[in-house]
Amino acid sequence: MSAPARVRRPTRSEVEDLLFAEAELLDAWDLDTWLTLYTSDSRYVVPATDVPDGDPTTDLVLIDDDRLRMTLRVERLNSRKAHREYPHSKCRHLVTNVRVGEPDGDEIPVRASFIVWRTRNGKDSTWVGGYTYRLVERDGALRIRSKRVELDMSSLRPANDVAVIL
C-alpha cells in the first residue's frame, strides 16, 4: 500500500490571489463567477455573533449553506425580486492578515481578517471579523471547500442583518 500523495502548501501570495479575486467578484456582484471558486461539496457558514464558535449542527447560526443553498442564494440575489439588494448595494470587501496553515489531509487551512462596507440608499453598513477557509486544489487551481465568517461584532444592530455575501 502506498502512502497518500502529500498536498502542496500554496504560498501566501497564491492564497491571497484567490481571496482577493473572491472579494473583487463579490464587490462587482459577479456572483455566478464567485460560485465557480467553490467546490461542489462546499459550505458557507456565518455563526451568530454571540456564539462565534457555534456549530451549525447544534447551535443557531445566521447562515449555514451547502452548495445547493449557495446556488439558490446567488439566484435570489441576482433576481430583481430581491428587493433588499436590487439595485445592488455598493460593497467593498477588504481582506488582510492572510495566514496559510499546514495541509490537513487534502485541505489547506487559511485564516484572514476582513472588513465589508455596504452602501445602499444613503445608509452605510459595516461588518468586521475573521474568515476561516478550507482550500483544496482542483485541476491545478485552488478552490474553496468551506468558508466560515466569524463576526467581531457584539450585535448586528449597526449593520441590521447579513443581506450580502460576506
Side-chain angles (χ1 to χ4, degrees), residues 39-57:
T39 62
S40 61
D41 61 347
S42 57
R43 191 151 209 106
Y44 171 62
V45 173
V46 182
T49 56
D50 59 340
V51 188
D53 58 347
D55 178 351
T57 62

Side-chain angles (χ1 to χ4, degrees), residues 16 18-28 90-98 111-118 125-131 133 147 149-152 164-166:
E16 286 176 338
L18 174 66
L19 303 187
F20 296 167
E22 180 189 32
E24 186 174 37
L25 291 168
L26 290 171
D27 292 344
K90 289 184 179 179
C91 291
R92 190 69 57 194
H93 289 69
L94 302 181
V95 180
T96 186
N97 298 340
V98 176
R111 294 198 50 85
S113 300
F114 73 89
I115 298 175
V116 176
W117 277 288
R118 172 183 172 236
S125 303
T126 305
W127 295 269
V128 178
Y131 293 135
Y133 288 94
K147 178 180 182 180
V149 181
E150 294 179 7
L151 295 166
D152 292 339
V164 297
I165 297 171
L166 297 174

